[in-house]
Every structure is written in C-alpha cells, then in structure tokens.
Amino acid sequence: PGYQHGRWGLLVVDRESGEVLFERAADERFRPASVTKLFSTAAALVDLGPEHRFQTPVHRRGEVDARPVA
C-alpha cells in the first residue's frame, strides 16, 4: 500500500538472447529521487562551501524528566 501512488518503470532482458522478458513503462522518463538529491547537494556545496555547518535549535516546553527511559 505504501507504493500505490509510486511510478514504476521496469525492463527485464534475457542476458544471453537479448529478449525482453518483461517491461512496464520502460520507455518513460523518470527522475529518481536519489539522483535529484545529488544536484541539490552539489548546489548547496557550491553556494555555501564545504565548511558550512547547519545549526538546528532544539526547544522544549514544560518540565524535563531526568529519569532514564526504561
């Protein structure tokens, strides 16, 4: 169910004969998320530089229980 809205493209080819055994949306163009992240990361590296560090503030409300969680 977690992939019901995903887009899939598959091409299975016999290595010996080159015969297509299965295909589904094999001619469609996809933009894999893992590859897309590389462009964002490269742009940030160029713009911010390799020494840049992000700071993430941590806020709390109420009391903090110092007892360890079991």
Side-chain angles (χ1 to χ4, degrees), residues 2-3 8-9 13-15 28 34 37 39 42 44-46 52-53 58 60 64 69:
Y3 300 108
W8 295 82
V13 178
D14 183 282
R15 186 176 186 173
E28 288 188 33
S34 56
K37 292 174 196 161
F39 292 103
L45 184 60
V46 168
H52 180 80
R53 298 294 179 263
V58 177
R60 68 168 176 85
V64 175
V69 177

mmCIF file of all heavy atoms in Angstrom, residues 2-3 8-9 13-15 28 34 37 39 42 44-46 52-53 58 60 64 69:
data_model
loop_
_atom_site.group_PDB
_atom_site.id
_atom_site.type_symbol
_atom_site.label_atom_id
_atom_site.label_comp_id
_atom_site.label_asym_id
_atom_site.label_seq_id
_atom_site.Cartn_x
_atom_site.Cartn_y
_atom_site.Cartn_z
ATOM 1 N N GLY A 2 2.044 1.228 0.596
ATOM 2 C CA GLY A 2 2.883 2.417 0.658
ATOM 3 C C GLY A 2 3.380 2.883 -0.699
ATOM 4 O O GLY A 2 3.828 4.014 -0.845
ATOM 5 N N TYR A 3 3.309 2.023 -1.705
ATOM 6 C CA TYR A 3 3.809 2.375 -3.040
ATOM 7 C C TYR A 3 2.696 2.540 -4.068
ATOM 8 O O TYR A 3 2.961 2.635 -5.263
ATOM 9 C CB TYR A 3 4.769 1.291 -3.532
ATOM 10 C CG TYR A 3 5.959 1.110 -2.636
ATOM 11 C CD1 TYR A 3 6.084 -0.021 -1.839
ATOM 12 C CD2 TYR A 3 6.952 2.067 -2.569
ATOM 13 C CE1 TYR A 3 7.177 -0.192 -1.006
ATOM 14 C CE2 TYR A 3 8.048 1.912 -1.747
ATOM 15 C CZ TYR A 3 8.153 0.775 -0.973
ATOM 16 O OH TYR A 3 9.231 0.616 -0.155
ATOM 17 N N TRP A 8 6.513 3.348 -11.490
ATOM 18 C CA TRP A 8 7.463 2.256 -11.669
ATOM 19 C C TRP A 8 7.787 2.090 -13.142
ATOM 20 O O TRP A 8 6.916 2.144 -13.988
ATOM 21 C CB TRP A 8 6.864 0.947 -11.153
ATOM 22 C CG TRP A 8 6.616 0.953 -9.688
ATOM 23 C CD1 TRP A 8 5.542 1.492 -9.038
ATOM 24 C CD2 TRP A 8 7.457 0.425 -8.676
ATOM 25 N NE1 TRP A 8 5.662 1.309 -7.696
ATOM 26 C CE2 TRP A 8 6.833 0.649 -7.436
ATOM 27 C CE3 TRP A 8 8.682 -0.244 -8.696
ATOM 28 C CZ2 TRP A 8 7.388 0.245 -6.235
ATOM 29 C CZ3 TRP A 8 9.228 -0.645 -7.491
ATOM 30 C CH2 TRP A 8 8.581 -0.392 -6.278
ATOM 31 N N GLY A 9 9.042 1.856 -13.427
ATOM 32 C CA GLY A 9 9.471 1.516 -14.765
ATOM 33 C C GLY A 9 10.416 0.334 -14.673
ATOM 34 O O GLY A 9 11.388 0.374 -13.921
ATOM 35 N N VAL A 13 15.544 -8.123 -19.297
ATOM 36 C CA VAL A 13 16.033 -8.644 -20.566
ATOM 37 C C VAL A 13 16.868 -9.888 -20.305
ATOM 38 O O VAL A 13 17.686 -9.915 -19.384
ATOM 39 C CB VAL A 13 16.892 -7.572 -21.291
ATOM 40 C CG1 VAL A 13 17.442 -8.116 -22.601
ATOM 41 C CG2 VAL A 13 16.090 -6.311 -21.523
ATOM 42 N N ASP A 14 16.671 -10.908 -21.141
ATOM 43 C CA ASP A 14 17.493 -12.105 -21.057
ATOM 44 C C ASP A 14 18.919 -11.744 -21.478
ATOM 45 O O ASP A 14 19.141 -11.198 -22.560
ATOM 46 C CB ASP A 14 16.937 -13.195 -21.973
ATOM 47 C CG ASP A 14 17.720 -14.475 -21.874
ATOM 48 O OD1 ASP A 14 18.816 -14.544 -22.474
ATOM 49 O OD2 ASP A 14 17.249 -15.414 -21.211
ATOM 50 N N ARG A 15 19.863 -12.019 -20.627
ATOM 51 C CA ARG A 15 21.251 -11.626 -20.863
ATOM 52 C C ARG A 15 21.848 -12.319 -22.090
ATOM 53 O O ARG A 15 22.639 -11.726 -22.820
ATOM 54 C CB ARG A 15 22.075 -11.960 -19.620
ATOM 55 C CG ARG A 15 23.479 -11.494 -19.675
ATOM 56 C CD ARG A 15 24.166 -11.794 -18.372
ATOM 57 N NE ARG A 15 25.493 -11.229 -18.367
ATOM 58 C CZ ARG A 15 26.283 -11.221 -17.325
ATOM 59 N NH1 ARG A 15 25.869 -11.747 -16.194
ATOM 60 N NH2 ARG A 15 27.469 -10.695 -17.397
ATOM 61 N N GLU A 28 9.307 5.277 -20.479
ATOM 62 C CA GLU A 28 9.028 6.548 -19.804
ATOM 63 C C GLU A 28 10.293 7.091 -19.158
ATOM 64 O O GLU A 28 11.184 6.342 -18.782
ATOM 65 C CB GLU A 28 7.953 6.361 -18.727
ATOM 66 C CG GLU A 28 6.581 6.141 -19.305
ATOM 67 C CD GLU A 28 5.516 6.167 -18.222
ATOM 68 O OE1 GLU A 28 5.671 6.920 -17.238
ATOM 69 O OE2 GLU A 28 4.538 5.424 -18.364
ATOM 70 N N SER A 34 17.020 9.752 -5.712
ATOM 71 C CA SER A 34 18.402 9.675 -5.245
ATOM 72 C C SER A 34 19.331 10.494 -6.129
ATOM 73 O O SER A 34 20.279 11.114 -5.647
ATOM 74 C CB SER A 34 18.868 8.225 -5.187
ATOM 75 O OG SER A 34 18.716 7.610 -6.447
ATOM 76 N N LYS A 37 18.677 14.393 -5.593
ATOM 77 C CA LYS A 37 19.308 14.910 -4.381
ATOM 78 C C LYS A 37 20.756 15.305 -4.626
ATOM 79 O O LYS A 37 21.274 16.204 -3.974
ATOM 80 C CB LYS A 37 19.231 13.873 -3.270
ATOM 81 C CG LYS A 37 17.839 13.630 -2.762
ATOM 82 C CD LYS A 37 17.827 12.492 -1.773
ATOM 83 C CE LYS A 37 16.409 12.012 -1.578
ATOM 84 N NZ LYS A 37 16.351 10.689 -1.006
ATOM 85 N N PHE A 39 21.990 16.839 -7.223
ATOM 86 C CA PHE A 39 22.034 18.195 -7.762
ATOM 87 C C PHE A 39 21.810 19.230 -6.662
ATOM 88 O O PHE A 39 22.484 20.256 -6.617
ATOM 89 C CB PHE A 39 21.006 18.365 -8.884
ATOM 90 C CG PHE A 39 21.336 17.564 -10.109
ATOM 91 C CD1 PHE A 39 20.672 16.385 -10.377
ATOM 92 C CD2 PHE A 39 22.337 17.973 -10.971
ATOM 93 C CE1 PHE A 39 20.978 15.635 -11.497
ATOM 94 C CE2 PHE A 39 22.667 17.232 -12.096
ATOM 95 C CZ PHE A 39 21.982 16.058 -12.358
ATOM 96 N N ALA A 42 24.978 19.306 -4.525
ATOM 97 C CA ALA A 42 26.072 19.988 -5.227
ATOM 98 C C ALA A 42 25.856 21.495 -5.237
ATOM 99 O O ALA A 42 26.808 22.266 -5.028
ATOM 100 C CB ALA A 42 26.195 19.458 -6.650
ATOM 101 N N ALA A 44 24.175 23.280 -3.034
ATOM 102 C CA ALA A 44 24.412 23.780 -1.679
ATOM 103 C C ALA A 44 25.905 23.826 -1.378
ATOM 104 O O ALA A 44 26.391 24.779 -0.759
ATOM 105 C CB ALA A 44 23.697 22.904 -0.659
ATOM 106 N N LEU A 45 26.652 22.834 -1.816
ATOM 107 C CA LEU A 45 28.092 22.796 -1.589
ATOM 108 C C LEU A 45 28.785 23.955 -2.289
ATOM 109 O O LEU A 45 29.643 24.621 -1.704
ATOM 110 C CB LEU A 45 28.657 21.465 -2.093
ATOM 111 C CG LEU A 45 30.126 21.203 -1.852
ATOM 112 C CD1 LEU A 45 30.437 21.217 -0.356
ATOM 113 C CD2 LEU A 45 30.545 19.880 -2.454
ATOM 114 N N VAL A 46 28.396 24.243 -3.519
ATOM 115 C CA VAL A 46 28.981 25.362 -4.261
ATOM 116 C C VAL A 46 28.608 26.685 -3.602
ATOM 117 O O VAL A 46 29.439 27.568 -3.425
ATOM 118 C CB VAL A 46 28.519 25.334 -5.741
ATOM 119 C CG1 VAL A 46 28.859 26.629 -6.446
ATOM 120 C CG2 VAL A 46 29.148 24.151 -6.467
ATOM 121 N N HIS A 52 30.606 24.905 5.668
ATOM 122 C CA HIS A 52 29.334 25.352 6.249
ATOM 123 C C HIS A 52 28.742 24.276 7.153
ATOM 124 O O HIS A 52 28.770 23.091 6.841
ATOM 125 C CB HIS A 52 28.324 25.696 5.155
ATOM 126 C CG HIS A 52 27.009 26.154 5.703
ATOM 127 N ND1 HIS A 52 26.816 27.437 6.157
ATOM 128 C CD2 HIS A 52 25.848 25.503 5.906
ATOM 129 C CE1 HIS A 52 25.577 27.551 6.606
ATOM 130 N NE2 HIS A 52 24.970 26.385 6.454
ATOM 131 N N ARG A 53 28.218 24.694 8.284
ATOM 132 C CA ARG A 53 27.534 23.787 9.202
ATOM 133 C C ARG A 53 26.168 24.378 9.523
ATOM 134 O O ARG A 53 26.049 25.561 9.834
ATOM 135 C CB ARG A 53 28.320 23.601 10.514
ATOM 136 C CG ARG A 53 29.691 22.988 10.326
ATOM 137 C CD ARG A 53 29.577 21.544 9.818
ATOM 138 N NE ARG A 53 30.866 20.932 9.597
ATOM 139 C CZ ARG A 53 31.479 20.854 8.430
ATOM 140 N NH1 ARG A 53 30.933 21.388 7.356
ATOM 141 N NH2 ARG A 53 32.647 20.249 8.312
ATOM 142 N N VAL A 58 17.079 23.442 19.338
ATOM 143 C CA VAL A 58 16.171 22.500 19.993
ATOM 144 C C VAL A 58 15.455 23.272 21.099
ATOM 145 O O VAL A 58 16.109 23.874 21.960
ATOM 146 C CB VAL A 58 16.941 21.295 20.576
ATOM 147 C CG1 VAL A 58 15.991 20.366 21.318
ATOM 148 C CG2 VAL A 58 17.679 20.561 19.470
ATOM 149 N N ARG A 60 12.109 23.307 24.000
ATOM 150 C CA ARG A 60 11.222 22.448 24.772
ATOM 151 C C ARG A 60 10.209 23.307 25.497
ATOM 152 O O ARG A 60 10.406 24.492 25.715
ATOM 153 C CB ARG A 60 11.997 21.608 25.779
ATOM 154 C CG ARG A 60 12.602 22.433 26.895
ATOM 155 C CD ARG A 60 13.101 21.541 28.013
ATOM 156 N NE ARG A 60 13.765 22.319 29.032
ATOM 157 C CZ ARG A 60 13.158 22.931 30.036
ATOM 158 N NH1 ARG A 60 11.863 22.861 30.160
ATOM 159 N NH2 ARG A 60 13.845 23.610 30.919
ATOM 160 N N VAL A 64 11.406 18.799 32.147
ATOM 161 C CA VAL A 64 12.128 17.671 31.583
ATOM 162 C C VAL A 64 12.353 16.672 32.707
ATOM 163 O O VAL A 64 12.896 17.015 33.758
ATOM 164 C CB VAL A 64 13.480 18.105 30.978
ATOM 165 C CG1 VAL A 64 14.270 16.889 30.519
ATOM 166 C CG2 VAL A 64 13.253 19.095 29.851
ATOM 167 N N VAL A 69 14.768 6.510 30.564
ATOM 168 C CA VAL A 69 13.656 5.782 29.990
ATOM 169 C C VAL A 69 14.002 4.299 29.972
ATOM 170 O O VAL A 69 15.078 3.908 29.562
ATOM 171 C CB VAL A 69 13.364 6.271 28.556
ATOM 172 C CG1 VAL A 69 12.239 5.464 27.929
ATOM 173 C CG2 VAL A 69 13.039 7.746 28.561
#
